[in-house]
Amino acid sequence: MLFNVVTLLALAPSVLAAITDNGDKKKRSVVPGGYIVEFEDVMSIASDTKSSFYSDLSDKQMNPTHRMDLSSSIFKGLSFHVDTGLDQAVVASDIQAMPIVRKVWPISLYDKQDFATAPWTNGSNSSSSSDTFSTHIMGHVDRLHAEGLTGNGTFVAIIDTGIDYNHPALGGCFGPGCKVAHGYDLVGDNYDGTNIPVPDPDPYSGCNEHGTHVAGIVAAGTNPYNFTGVAPDATLGAYRVFGCSGSSGDDVLIDAFTRAYEDGADIITASIGGPNGWTEEPWTVVVSRIVAAGTPCTLAAGNDGSEGLFYGSSAADGIGVIAVGSIDNIESPVFTTYGRYSIDNSTNGQFGYLAAAIGMPNVSLPLWAVSKDSTNAADACEPLPADTADLSGKLVLIRRGTCTFDTKAANVAAFGAQYILFYNNAPSLTSPSVTDPDIIGAAMVSADQGVSWAASLAAGSAVQVSIDGKLTVFSSPPNNVTGGHMSTFSMWNPTNEAYVKPEISAPGGNILSTLPLEQGGYGVLSGTSMATPFVAGVVALMKQARPDLDPYTIRSILGTTGHPVTFNDGKTTYNYLAPVVQQGGGEVDAFAAVHTSTVIDVANLAFNDTAHFVKEANFTITNRGSSDVTYNFDYVNAATAYTLPDDGSTQPQTFPPDLVTSGATVHLSSGSLSVAAGKSEVVIVTLELPKDLATARIPVYSGFIDIKGSNGDSLSLPYAGVASSLKDATVLDPSTGYPYITSTSDNTFVPLNSSTVFTISIANTTINGTTDNSTGLLIPNLRIGLVMPSSLIRADLIPSNSTLGTYTNTTTILGVKTLGAIAGTPSVYQPRANAWSTAFYGVLDDGTRVAPGTYSILVRALRIFGDATNPDDYDSAQTDPFTIRYVH
Ligand SMILES: *[C@@H]1O[C@H](CO)[C@@H](O)[C@H](O)[C@H]1NC(C)=O
Ligand SMILES: *[C@@H]1O[C@H](CO)[C@@H](O)[C@H](O)[C@H]1NC(C)=O
Ligand SMILES: *[C@@H]1O[C@H](CO)[C@@H](O)[C@H](O)[C@H]1NC(C)=O
Ligand SMILES: *[C@@H]1O[C@H](CO)[C@@H](O)[C@H](O)[C@H]1NC(C)=O
Ligand SMILES: *[C@@H]1O[C@H](CO)[C@@H](O)[C@H](O)[C@H]1NC(C)=O
Ligand SMILES: *[C@@H]1O[C@H](CO)[C@@H](O)[C@H](O)[C@H]1NC(C)=O
Ligand SMILES: *[C@@H]1O[C@H](CO)[C@@H](O)[C@H](O)[C@H]1NC(C)=O
Ligand SMILES: *[C@@H]1O[C@H](CO)[C@@H](O)[C@H](O)[C@H]1NC(C)=O
Ligand SMILES: CC(=O)N[C@H]1CO[C@H](CO)[C@@H](O)[C@@H]1O
């Protein structure tokens, strides 16, 4: 019996430097005491089923609280909370044992996939008719608009934070006849992911800008900024799954997806996700079922590009799902606010600035520079001299660079500073990230402005700066550094089982769209969150033109009509193509997706790893046109990416991974092929792997098969594979410090040494569980971190020699004498670069309580594609011994 670990994943930093366990990374986390159950098929959740299920839980002292009914043709089940004081491992195994239950999962939490907003404004009145919006030119949407294709008659369901439908560009109303015609608020303003959702029928949201921005990308109508959505005449559904802050649980996501499906959506889109890379999460399972039932789904590929390869995201990693990566806009739209300054009361000037998320209130103060030397690269990175003046009445000028904005902020806040102007050390402006609570206002000004002010101050002049927030100007200068290339934040695959994702990429970096009116109406956001609704809009245009297209064909057309882009690391563009596991089919081409009469039956070809190498792949090419077409085939390799930094390491390298140009040699069964109108032909593809790769570093090769038709169609079919055996990759590396024993009461997870005696209370037993709240109790907490993903992680209890005498019947598991799995284990389908904890209350998976004594825990993680019955296919490591006692 397998179920997920049910302990809460902490976000606090680990004491172990080897694992990137720092708090600012998105981690998998679950709702404490929260579960989703799927009932067996024959059951429907009639109210008596539900009440008898809950009364069974009550009989087991679980004190259940109902969360949601999950009842649809796709999924039948419930979600609920139980008493968090119980041993959750035992709870989960008791629930899974109930005959009515097909499967139980903890409720996982997911996040939106966007980044901080740039400032905004209400803007002026003007409009234009032809589509010159930079992202629409990039994706060839402008050409479809010129043909009159606008998504009319299609229904796009947006699973997000709700929509400000009062926005004039989003129709100004909600309900039948409005642009936002469908939807539901599944959660209410106060929902944060862990508490109980309070639904209502109105999906309005003004407090959370994400969904309104996403909605504008799909379907904004005319507005003062002269842009529209990709499918401006589409009808929208707003399914609200986030409150004003926090995350969303997968029970809510399952309910939202099945609702949208049953409301008849033509496309369902969600810019939501969390690291996973396996296809078995309950939400992922439901999305794949909806695709199989006929509704295409677009999901954000995720924003953890910084983590490197093999870092897929749920539910983008689902089978049949269209995962969307992000490309940076060729323009950098920006709302620049202007302030004024004077030098020695005489020279007056204006300067543009970009405020931090904390804002920049109206102030008029003398400017004070930490360093009057504007070439000081590490300005304010060290504590300021003790004799620094009181900075409370100053506007502090600091050069960007070397250390974080917050380090600089803390160093000046130590002397009373409240307002900071950073000047850039690079072209353009970015919003500085300042969270220091002592800082009230912060903003960035241009490098030129900062250098000029520093020079004035160095010359002994007084500079007075006034900010009143009155003048904001929109501009959209070209982005010639990263524009048209993959955004550095876009997540890298392949999935943990070598599936090729994402399917396609679209403009997602620096995107202008609508914001709630109360947040100014318009703004710029970045993320795969922004790329995903773009593709949903493209699918709406495809459905308008060809209503009979099924989700798999839509996915294949999108994946093969895109344009591969060259690699860019955020600073420099290289002359080789970005790996397929970063860009999928490349930049979406809406025009080609609608007009191609050549259809390939797959979105990409996965050659798997060397142990499961696909010796002969194939694709079927169909000519849906009315005349015969001759196709010519060729191929081009993309860069091969190394997962690991060097031969000896086990931990994947962060962005940018090392890339080499050595790629596969591709052989096609024909170099040229004539396909009659309405007919199909099969092309066989075989690969020869490059011989000169460092296989221990887990190289991932890829490329594109070019398909050029005599009718003008031009397609590229992505292929990718792993040039090593994934079973050889270490998943659990004891040199990183994992696994180890800490205590459940320490949320910084400091390892405890082997002389620690844990004291567990069994006085207040319900199902033999306990809490560690009473004074003096210390509960062991097993902490595990993986360097690569694992689908099965065992944690078996080993008695010490002195304790062994207590037991006559130990069991041999995978060749090792143990007492059995600790309750709550094995743990399944864990991503890498993630650490989690399992409390040990002295109870084993089969419910038996072990005697007081000294034990250690043997952790064994199954390597990718390993055989779960073969001990050699696991990486293993044992914790230090620890001693448990009980009190009554
Ligand atoms: C959309 O289609 C409907 C009919 O389905 C038609 O009445 C309406 O005029 C169309 N709207 C636009 C903007 O083309
Ligand atoms: C929108 O287009 C009009 C007419 O071409 C132009 O005057 C106006 O400046 C544009 N607005 C923006 C924000 O570019
Ligand atoms: C600028 O004007 C203020 C107020 O009028 C005055 O106190 C200050 O001395 C002047 N500074 C210079 C450099 O003239
Ligand atoms: C990129 O843009 C900047 C500012 O817009 C400009 O100064 C620079 O010459 C451009 N570089 C290239 C290679 O076009
Ligand atoms: C690779 O092979 C393994 C083992 O047969 C299989 O489980 C997995 O699904 C394959 N991956 C792909 C992308 O086909
Ligand atoms: C094409 O590949 C599929 C598996 O992906 C296989 O079932 C089929 O037999 C192959 N067709 C040909 C003609 O080789
Ligand atoms: C058990 O816990 C409950 C509340 O958590 C408390 O009211 C009760 O006194 C406890 N019982 C014992 C025997 O400690
Ligand atoms: C457990 O302890 C925490 C922190 O000390 C406290 O906030 C919480 O209320 C306690 N819970 C119970 C049930 O006593
Ligand atoms: C290991 C252990 O203590 N198991 C007990 C759990 O609680 C039930 C019901 O009280 C007992 O029957 C078990 O012996």
Side-chain angles (χ1 to χ4, degrees):
M1 173 196 335
L2 301 180
F3 45 86
N4 288 350
V5 154
V6 293
T7 39
L8 180 63
L9 295 171
L11 300 171
S14 162
V15 292
L16 298 156
I19 293 270
T20 50
D21 197 9
N22 47 0
D24 55 4
K25 294 267 165 55
K26 295 269 189 299
K27 295 297 178 192
R28 272 164 64 81
S29 52
V30 300
V31 177
Y35 295 92
I36 296 171
V37 290
E38 180 173 20
F39 292 131
E40 287 295 347
D41 248 359
V42 286
M43 306 291 182
S44 69
I45 53 166
S47 58
D48 58 336
T49 311
K50 182 167 144 187
S51 56
S52 76
F53 174 74
Y54 283 138
S55 86
D56 285 353
L57 297 192
S58 299
D59 290 349
K60 297 177 193 295
Q61 318 292 325
M62 290 186 193
N63 191 19
T65 309
H66 178 63
R67 227 170 111 108
M68 302 184 81
D69 288 328
L70 301 172
S71 177
S72 68
S73 53
I74 299 286
F75 190 95
K76 286 185 177 43
L78 295 170
S79 68
F80 52 92
H81 292 233
V82 300
D83 204 332
T84 53
L86 302 175
D87 181 339
Q88 298 300 318
V90 178
V91 168
S93 89
D94 277 10
I95 295 172
Q96 183 65 69
M98 294 166 73
I100 191 179
V101 171
R102 174 186 282 179
K103 194 161 162 84
V104 61
W105 296 271
I107 300 173
S108 293
L109 293 175
Y110 292 93
D111 290 304
K112 298 170 276 136
Q113 298 293 320
D114 68 323
F115 293 108
T117 171
W120 40 261
T121 178
N122 275 313
S124 56
N125 285 317
S126 53
S127 68
S128 78
S129 53
S130 82
D131 185 355
T132 58
F133 196 38
S134 59
T135 60
H136 290 188
I137 293 168
M138 293 169 74
H140 297 173
V141 169
D142 57 333
R143 298 196 206 165
L144 294 177
H145 288 178
E147 291 182 350
L149 214 55
T150 54
N152 191 25
T154 63
F155 165 17
V156 183
I158 297 175
I159 315 290
D160 211 293
T161 63
I163 296 177
D164 179 1
Y165 49 71
N166 295 324
H167 198 299
L170 296 173
C173 58
F174 173 59
C178 298
K179 188 187 288 277
V180 183
H182 312 268
Y184 194 72
D185 178 356
L186 289 87
V187 295
D189 278 0
N190 297 325
Y191 177 68
D192 64 10
T194 59
N195 53 356
I196 292 183
V198 182
D200 69 75
D202 182 355
Y204 168 83
S205 170
C207 61
N208 204 328
E209 80 286 352
H210 190 267
T212 301
H213 201 268
V214 163
I217 292 168
V218 178
T222 50
N223 61 69
Y225 293 97
N226 302 335
F227 72 90
T228 68
V230 172
D233 291 325
T235 295
L236 300 181
Y239 297 85
R240 185 180 184 203
V241 296
F242 289 87
C244 290
S245 61
S247 306
S248 184
D250 48 8
D251 54 347
V252 171
L253 292 166
I254 288 169
D255 195 21
F257 266 82
T258 53
R259 249 172 210 281
Y261 168 76
E262 295 194 334
D263 286 353
D266 293 305
I267 308 105
I268 304 176
T269 191
S271 294
I272 303 168
N276 189 256
W278 302 102
T279 54
E280 287 79 2
E281 291 290 297
W283 172 40
T284 309
V285 167
V286 165
V287 177
S288 290
R289 286 184 197 169
I290 287 174
V291 172
T295 306
C297 294
T298 50
L299 271 292
N303 292 345
D304 290 324
S306 60
E307 294 282 354
L309 284 89
F310 287 96
Y311 208 60
S313 170
S314 293
D317 47 22
I319 294 159
V321 169
I322 300 165
V324 184
S326 172
I327 290 183
D328 279 357
N329 193 346
I330 53 173
E331 291 184 3
S332 300
V334 62
F335 292 92
T336 311
T337 314
Y338 282 82
R340 311 186 63 77
Y341 66 93
S342 66
I343 298 176
D344 294 334
N345 290 347
S346 55
T347 317
N348 292 311
Q350 227 183 29
F351 68 97
Y353 66 87
L354 197 53
I358 57 167
M360 186 70 212
N362 296 344
V363 288
S364 179
L365 293 170
L367 195 68
W368 183 91
V370 174
S371 169
K372 290 172 188 159
D373 173 5
S374 57
T375 65
N376 181 2
D379 199 13
C381 287
E382 299 296 327
L384 272 42
D387 62 353
T388 299
D390 173 26
L391 301 180
S392 59
K394 311 283 186 195
L395 194 48
V396 177
L397 181 69
I398 307 176
R399 187 186 195 268
R400 180 187 187 187
T402 306
C403 60
T404 64
F405 293 114
D406 261 334
T407 300
K408 295 167 189 265
N411 286 332
V412 296
F415 292 89
Q418 295 179 311
Y419 307 98
I420 304 175
L421 289 180
F422 294 100
Y423 60 103
N424 211 347
N425 57 359
S428 80
L429 298 180
T430 55
S431 180
S433 163
V434 177
T435 58
D436 190 299
D438 295 326
I439 303 299
I440 298 171
M444 181 174 284
V445 302
S446 71
D448 288 351
Q449 186 62 68
V451 168
S452 153
W453 278 340
S456 298
L457 294 170
S461 293
V463 179
Q464 179 79 16
V465 172
S466 302
I467 285 171
D468 62 13
K470 280 188 186 140
L471 177 64
T472 296
V473 176
F474 175 74
S475 62
S476 198
N479 171 0
N480 60 12
V481 179
T482 62
H485 299 280
M486 292 304 294
S487 307
T488 56
F489 56 74
S490 200
M491 205 109 150
W492 290 58
N493 278 274
T495 74
N496 307 336
E497 291 149 301
Y499 286 93
V500 179
K501 293 268 176 180
E503 271 71 7
I504 189 68
S505 296
N510 297 318
I511 306 300
L512 172 67
S513 184
T514 44
L515 291 185
L517 292 173
E518 68 181 60
Q519 299 193 29
Y522 298 90
V524 178
L525 292 175
S526 292
T528 50
S529 275
M530 283 63 241
T532 305
F534 192 99
V535 174
V538 172
V539 175
L541 301 178
M542 292 171 77
K543 287 289 258 188
Q544 182 186 7
R546 299 170 165 182
D548 56 332
L549 283 179
D550 68 84
Y552 300 107
T553 306
I554 288 172
R555 176 174 169 270
S556 298
I557 290 175
L558 286 169
T560 54
T561 55
H563 300 287
V565 301
T566 50
F567 183 69
N568 177 289
D569 61 9
K571 297 186 180 88
T572 306
T573 301
Y574 298 84
N575 62 7
Y576 39 79
L577 294 173
V580 165
V581 293
Q582 184 194 25
Q583 68 168 323
E587 184 170 61
V588 69
D589 183 339
F591 188 83
V594 165
H595 288 290
T596 185
S597 58
T598 307
V599 175
I600 309 295
D601 67 330
V602 289
N604 52 53
L605 295 175
F607 282 86
N608 217 326
D609 70 349
T610 51
H612 308 94
F613 184 60
V614 177
K615 292 191 184 68
E616 202 179 272
N618 68 71
F619 61 90
T620 300
I621 182 165
T622 302
N623 173 7
R624 293 196 174 184
S626 52
S627 47
D628 299 0
V629 176
T630 301
Y631 293 99
N632 286 307
F633 303 103
D634 200 352
Y635 75 97
V636 55
N637 277 309
T640 294
Y642 280 119
T643 306
L644 303 178
D646 51 59
D647 276 355
S649 59
T650 58
Q651 194 145 295
Q653 52 186 343
T654 54
F655 182 90
D658 292 342
L659 300 179
V660 293
T661 51
S662 181
T665 307
V666 178
H667 302 284
L668 298 160
S669 54
S670 32
S672 171
L673 194 63
S674 182
V675 183
K679 293 285 188 271
S680 299
E681 299 287 344
V682 175
V683 178
I684 310 285
V685 186
T686 54
L687 290 192
E688 266 173 72
L689 299 192
K691 303 249 178 322
D692 54 349
L693 297 174
T695 53
R697 297 178 63 188
I698 319 178
V700 179
Y701 62 87
S702 59
F704 299 86
I705 295 169
D706 287 334
I707 302 160
K708 290 209 163 45
S710 54
N711 63 346
D713 281 354
S714 174
L715 288 81
S716 60
L717 173 63
Y719 57 85
V722 181
S724 66
S725 171
L726 283 171
K727 206 167 76 179
D728 294 342
T730 301
V731 295
L732 176 69
D733 180 356
S735 76
T736 60
Y738 295 111
Y740 65 89
I741 299 291
T742 177
S743 104
T744 56
S745 53
D746 175 10
N747 61 12
T748 61
F749 311 114
V750 176
L752 292 172
N753 65 32
S754 52
S755 61
T756 307
V757 176
F758 293 89
T759 314
I760 301 167
S761 165
I762 50 174
N764 218 345
T765 297
T766 52
I767 48 163
N768 303 337
T770 185
T771 71
D772 63 347
N773 244 23
S774 330
T775 37
L777 298 186
L778 201 59
I779 313 295
N781 205 15
L782 172 66
R783 194 134 172 97
I784 305 175
L786 300 177
V787 292
M788 283 289 276
S790 175
S791 61
L792 176 64
I793 303 99
R794 299 198 57 89
D796 299 317
L797 195 68
I798 313 282
S800 70
N801 282 340
S802 59
T803 306
L804 187 56
T806 315
Y807 298 97
T808 50
N809 53 346
T810 53
T811 53
T812 299
I813 300 175
L814 296 166
V816 179
K817 257 192 200 172
T818 83
L819 297 180
I822 67 167
T825 68
S827 168
V828 297
Y829 301 119
Q830 291 289 345
R832 68 171 181 83
N834 184 45
W836 75 97
S837 313
T838 301
F840 177 56
Y841 293 90
V843 179
L844 299 176
D845 188 39
D846 64 3
T848 53
R849 181 175 293 285
V850 300
T854 301
Y855 301 89
S856 65
I857 297 173
L858 173 63
V859 173
R860 284 178 286 185
L862 184 62
R863 291 199 297 272
I864 298 174
F865 296 151
D867 170 1
T869 65
N870 182 356
D872 295 341
D873 286 358
Y874 290 81
D875 288 333
S876 62
Q878 199 161 329
T879 67
D880 286 343
F882 58 94
T883 300
I884 57 171
R885 301 265 176 269
Y886 296 109
V887 292
H888 289 273

